[in-house]
PDB file of all heavy atoms in Angstrom:
ATOM      1  N   PRO A  78     -19.602 -81.258 -54.028  1.00 66.00           N
ATOM      2  CA  PRO A  78     -19.379 -80.034 -53.256  1.00 66.00           C
ATOM      3  C   PRO A  78     -17.895 -79.678 -53.208  1.00 66.00           C
ATOM      4  O   PRO A  78     -17.030 -80.532 -53.373  1.00 66.00           O
ATOM      5  CB  PRO A  78     -19.918 -80.391 -51.865  1.00 66.00           C
ATOM      6  CG  PRO A  78     -19.858 -81.874 -51.793  1.00 66.00           C
ATOM      7  CD  PRO A  78     -20.046 -82.369 -53.203  1.00 66.00           C
ATOM      8  N   SER A  79     -17.633 -78.433 -52.974  1.00 80.00           N
ATOM      9  CA  SER A  79     -16.267 -77.947 -52.843  1.00 80.00           C
ATOM     10  C   SER A  79     -15.538 -78.718 -51.749  1.00 80.00           C
ATOM     11  O   SER A  79     -16.098 -78.977 -50.685  1.00 80.00           O
ATOM     12  CB  SER A  79     -16.301 -76.461 -52.498  1.00 80.00           C
ATOM     13  OG  SER A  79     -15.120 -76.066 -51.874  1.00 80.00           O
ATOM     14  N   PRO A  80     -14.265 -79.053 -51.981  1.00 82.00           N
ATOM     15  CA  PRO A  80     -13.480 -79.704 -50.921  1.00 82.00           C
ATOM     16  C   PRO A  80     -13.401 -78.850 -49.654  1.00 82.00           C
ATOM     17  O   PRO A  80     -13.299 -79.377 -48.551  1.00 82.00           O
ATOM     18  CB  PRO A  80     -12.096 -79.876 -51.546  1.00 82.00           C
ATOM     19  CG  PRO A  80     -12.313 -79.813 -53.021  1.00 82.00           C
ATOM     20  CD  PRO A  80     -13.516 -78.936 -53.222  1.00 82.00           C
ATOM     21  N   VAL A  81     -13.467 -77.533 -49.817  1.00 82.00           N
ATOM     22  CA  VAL A  81     -13.434 -76.634 -48.660  1.00 82.00           C
ATOM     23  C   VAL A  81     -14.687 -76.836 -47.812  1.00 82.00           C
ATOM     24  O   VAL A  81     -14.614 -76.931 -46.589  1.00 82.00           O
ATOM     25  CB  VAL A  81     -13.307 -75.165 -49.132  1.00 82.00           C
ATOM     26  CG1 VAL A  81     -13.473 -74.196 -47.976  1.00 82.00           C
ATOM     27  CG2 VAL A  81     -11.985 -74.945 -49.834  1.00 82.00           C
ATOM     28  N   ILE A  82     -15.844 -76.916 -48.461  1.00 85.00           N
ATOM     29  CA  ILE A  82     -17.100 -77.128 -47.731  1.00 85.00           C
ATOM     30  C   ILE A  82     -17.066 -78.481 -47.036  1.00 85.00           C
ATOM     31  O   ILE A  82     -17.424 -78.602 -45.860  1.00 85.00           O
ATOM     32  CB  ILE A  82     -18.315 -77.010 -48.672  1.00 85.00           C
ATOM     33  CG1 ILE A  82     -18.459 -75.572 -49.175  1.00 85.00           C
ATOM     34  CG2 ILE A  82     -19.597 -77.465 -47.965  1.00 85.00           C
ATOM     35  CD1 ILE A  82     -19.501 -75.389 -50.260  1.00 85.00           C
ATOM     36  N   VAL A  83     -16.626 -79.510 -47.747  1.00 87.00           N
ATOM     37  CA  VAL A  83     -16.539 -80.857 -47.187  1.00 87.00           C
ATOM     38  C   VAL A  83     -15.678 -80.846 -45.922  1.00 87.00           C
ATOM     39  O   VAL A  83     -16.087 -81.345 -44.865  1.00 87.00           O
ATOM     40  CB  VAL A  83     -15.956 -81.842 -48.230  1.00 87.00           C
ATOM     41  CG1 VAL A  83     -15.633 -83.184 -47.598  1.00 87.00           C
ATOM     42  CG2 VAL A  83     -16.926 -82.010 -49.400  1.00 87.00           C
ATOM     43  N   ALA A  84     -14.495 -80.255 -46.020  1.00 86.00           N
ATOM     44  CA  ALA A  84     -13.573 -80.223 -44.878  1.00 86.00           C
ATOM     45  C   ALA A  84     -14.144 -79.419 -43.719  1.00 86.00           C
ATOM     46  O   ALA A  84     -14.012 -79.821 -42.549  1.00 86.00           O
ATOM     47  CB  ALA A  84     -12.223 -79.656 -45.311  1.00 86.00           C
ATOM     48  N   ASN A  85     -14.786 -78.292 -44.012  1.00 87.00           N
ATOM     49  CA  ASN A  85     -15.323 -77.444 -42.951  1.00 87.00           C
ATOM     50  C   ASN A  85     -16.495 -78.100 -42.226  1.00 87.00           C
ATOM     51  O   ASN A  85     -16.600 -78.009 -41.006  1.00 87.00           O
ATOM     52  CB  ASN A  85     -15.705 -76.071 -43.488  1.00 87.00           C
ATOM     53  CG  ASN A  85     -14.499 -75.197 -43.746  1.00 87.00           C
ATOM     54  OD1 ASN A  85     -13.443 -75.390 -43.150  1.00 87.00           O
ATOM     55  ND2 ASN A  85     -14.649 -74.245 -44.628  1.00 87.00           N
ATOM     56  N   VAL A  86     -17.379 -78.746 -42.957  1.00 90.00           N
ATOM     57  CA  VAL A  86     -18.507 -79.425 -42.309  1.00 90.00           C
ATOM     58  C   VAL A  86     -17.973 -80.514 -41.387  1.00 90.00           C
ATOM     59  O   VAL A  86     -18.372 -80.616 -40.216  1.00 90.00           O
ATOM     60  CB  VAL A  86     -19.499 -80.003 -43.347  1.00 90.00           C
ATOM     61  CG1 VAL A  86     -20.499 -80.941 -42.673  1.00 90.00           C
ATOM     62  CG2 VAL A  86     -20.226 -78.884 -44.071  1.00 90.00           C
ATOM     63  N   ARG A  87     -17.067 -81.330 -41.875  1.00 90.00           N
ATOM     64  CA  ARG A  87     -16.507 -82.420 -41.062  1.00 90.00           C
ATOM     65  C   ARG A  87     -15.783 -81.852 -39.826  1.00 90.00           C
ATOM     66  O   ARG A  87     -15.992 -82.319 -38.714  1.00 90.00           O
ATOM     67  CB  ARG A  87     -15.543 -83.278 -41.880  1.00 90.00           C
ATOM     68  CG  ARG A  87     -14.981 -84.456 -41.078  1.00 90.00           C
ATOM     69  CD  ARG A  87     -14.050 -85.336 -41.890  1.00 90.00           C
ATOM     70  NE  ARG A  87     -14.768 -85.949 -42.991  1.00 90.00           N
ATOM     71  CZ  ARG A  87     -14.483 -85.746 -44.286  1.00 90.00           C
ATOM     72  NH1 ARG A  87     -13.485 -84.975 -44.637  1.00 90.00           N
ATOM     73  NH2 ARG A  87     -15.178 -86.340 -45.215  1.00 90.00           N
ATOM     74  N   ARG A  88     -14.942 -80.834 -40.041  1.00 87.00           N
ATOM     75  CA  ARG A  88     -14.169 -80.241 -38.941  1.00 87.00           C
ATOM     76  C   ARG A  88     -15.102 -79.680 -37.859  1.00 87.00           C
ATOM     77  O   ARG A  88     -14.928 -79.944 -36.667  1.00 87.00           O
ATOM     78  CB  ARG A  88     -13.268 -79.132 -39.487  1.00 87.00           C
ATOM     79  CG  ARG A  88     -12.509 -78.359 -38.409  1.00 87.00           C
ATOM     80  CD  ARG A  88     -11.650 -77.250 -39.020  1.00 87.00           C
ATOM     81  NE  ARG A  88     -12.371 -76.304 -39.855  1.00 87.00           N
ATOM     82  CZ  ARG A  88     -13.094 -75.283 -39.388  1.00 87.00           C
ATOM     83  NH1 ARG A  88     -13.195 -75.069 -38.091  1.00 87.00           N
ATOM     84  NH2 ARG A  88     -13.719 -74.460 -40.226  1.00 87.00           N
ATOM     85  N   LEU A  89     -16.119 -78.919 -38.284  1.00 89.00           N
ATOM     86  CA  LEU A  89     -17.038 -78.312 -37.322  1.00 89.00           C
ATOM     87  C   LEU A  89     -17.877 -79.367 -36.602  1.00 89.00           C
ATOM     88  O   LEU A  89     -18.131 -79.263 -35.400  1.00 89.00           O
ATOM     89  CB  LEU A  89     -17.926 -77.284 -38.024  1.00 89.00           C
ATOM     90  CG  LEU A  89     -17.182 -76.036 -38.494  1.00 89.00           C
ATOM     91  CD1 LEU A  89     -18.020 -75.259 -39.509  1.00 89.00           C
ATOM     92  CD2 LEU A  89     -16.805 -75.153 -37.312  1.00 89.00           C
ATOM     93  N   ARG A  90     -18.304 -80.397 -37.319  1.00 91.00           N
ATOM     94  CA  ARG A  90     -19.073 -81.482 -36.698  1.00 91.00           C
ATOM     95  C   ARG A  90     -18.229 -82.171 -35.632  1.00 91.00           C
ATOM     96  O   ARG A  90     -18.678 -82.388 -34.499  1.00 91.00           O
ATOM     97  CB  ARG A  90     -19.525 -82.493 -37.758  1.00 91.00           C
ATOM     98  CG  ARG A  90     -20.271 -83.695 -37.161  1.00 91.00           C
ATOM     99  CD  ARG A  90     -20.681 -84.710 -38.203  1.00 91.00           C
ATOM    100  NE  ARG A  90     -19.593 -85.300 -38.939  1.00 91.00           N
ATOM    101  CZ  ARG A  90     -18.793 -86.267 -38.459  1.00 91.00           C
ATOM    102  NH1 ARG A  90     -18.938 -86.737 -37.234  1.00 91.00           N
ATOM    103  NH2 ARG A  90     -17.838 -86.776 -39.229  1.00 91.00           N
ATOM    104  N   GLU A  91     -16.981 -82.493 -35.979  1.00 90.00           N
ATOM    105  CA  GLU A  91     -16.103 -83.184 -35.041  1.00 90.00           C
ATOM    106  C   GLU A  91     -15.744 -82.297 -33.847  1.00 90.00           C
ATOM    107  O   GLU A  91     -15.679 -82.785 -32.710  1.00 90.00           O
ATOM    108  CB  GLU A  91     -14.846 -83.673 -35.755  1.00 90.00           C
ATOM    109  CG  GLU A  91     -15.152 -84.809 -36.714  1.00 90.00           C
ATOM    110  CD  GLU A  91     -13.982 -85.217 -37.592  1.00 90.00           C
ATOM    111  OE1 GLU A  91     -12.925 -84.520 -37.592  1.00 90.00           O
ATOM    112  OE2 GLU A  91     -14.107 -86.250 -38.291  1.00 90.00           O
ATOM    113  N   MET A  92     -15.537 -80.995 -34.090  1.00 88.00           N
ATOM    114  CA  MET A  92     -15.228 -80.070 -32.987  1.00 88.00           C
ATOM    115  C   MET A  92     -16.347 -80.044 -31.955  1.00 88.00           C
ATOM    116  O   MET A  92     -16.090 -79.862 -30.762  1.00 88.00           O
ATOM    117  CB  MET A  92     -15.030 -78.643 -33.518  1.00 88.00           C
ATOM    118  CG  MET A  92     -13.682 -78.389 -34.124  1.00 88.00           C
ATOM    119  SD  MET A  92     -13.540 -76.717 -34.853  1.00 88.00           S
ATOM    120  CE  MET A  92     -14.110 -75.664 -33.540  1.00 88.00           C
ATOM    121  N   ARG A  93     -17.586 -80.234 -32.405  1.00 90.00           N
ATOM    122  CA  ARG A  93     -18.724 -80.203 -31.493  1.00 90.00           C
ATOM    123  C   ARG A  93     -19.045 -81.583 -30.926  1.00 90.00           C
ATOM    124  O   ARG A  93     -19.982 -81.739 -30.151  1.00 90.00           O
ATOM    125  CB  ARG A  93     -19.936 -79.603 -32.192  1.00 90.00           C
ATOM    126  CG  ARG A  93     -19.802 -78.071 -32.226  1.00 90.00           C
ATOM    127  CD  ARG A  93     -20.448 -77.449 -33.397  1.00 90.00           C
ATOM    128  NE  ARG A  93     -20.278 -76.007 -33.414  1.00 90.00           N
ATOM    129  CZ  ARG A  93     -19.134 -75.384 -33.735  1.00 90.00           C
ATOM    130  NH1 ARG A  93     -18.063 -76.066 -34.058  1.00 90.00           N
ATOM    131  NH2 ARG A  93     -19.057 -74.061 -33.743  1.00 90.00           N
ATOM    132  N   GLY A  94     -18.286 -82.584 -31.360  1.00 91.00           N
ATOM    133  CA  GLY A  94     -18.480 -83.931 -30.841  1.00 91.00           C
ATOM    134  C   GLY A  94     -19.717 -84.629 -31.363  1.00 91.00           C
ATOM    135  O   GLY A  94     -20.220 -85.560 -30.736  1.00 91.00           O
ATOM    136  N   TYR A  95     -20.232 -84.203 -32.514  1.00 92.00           N
ATOM    137  CA  TYR A  95     -21.421 -84.831 -33.091  1.00 92.00           C
ATOM    138  C   TYR A  95     -21.023 -85.989 -34.004  1.00 92.00           C
ATOM    139  O   TYR A  95     -20.101 -85.867 -34.805  1.00 92.00           O
ATOM    140  CB  TYR A  95     -22.213 -83.842 -33.952  1.00 92.00           C
ATOM    141  CG  TYR A  95     -22.833 -82.675 -33.238  1.00 92.00           C
ATOM    142  CD1 TYR A  95     -23.081 -81.491 -33.915  1.00 92.00           C
ATOM    143  CD2 TYR A  95     -23.216 -82.733 -31.900  1.00 92.00           C
ATOM    144  CE1 TYR A  95     -23.669 -80.400 -33.301  1.00 92.00           C
ATOM    145  CE2 TYR A  95     -23.802 -81.644 -31.270  1.00 92.00           C
ATOM    146  CZ  TYR A  95     -24.020 -80.494 -31.969  1.00 92.00           C
ATOM    147  OH  TYR A  95     -24.599 -79.416 -31.358  1.00 92.00           O
ATOM    148  N   SER A  96     -21.758 -87.060 -33.917  1.00 93.00           N
ATOM    149  CA  SER A  96     -21.649 -88.119 -34.925  1.00 93.00           C
ATOM    150  C   SER A  96     -22.420 -87.659 -36.156  1.00 93.00           C
ATOM    151  O   SER A  96     -23.168 -86.664 -36.096  1.00 93.00           O
ATOM    152  CB  SER A  96     -22.257 -89.416 -34.393  1.00 93.00           C
ATOM    153  OG  SER A  96     -23.659 -89.243 -34.219  1.00 93.00           O
TER     154      SER A  96
END
Side-chain angles (χ1 to χ4, degrees):
S79 157
V81 172
I82 293 172
V83 170
N85 285 336
V86 168
R87 182 179 297 118
R88 175 181 56 80
L89 291 164
R90 177 182 61 78
E91 290 172 352
M92 280 176 50
R93 281 150 181 75
Y95 295 154
S96 66

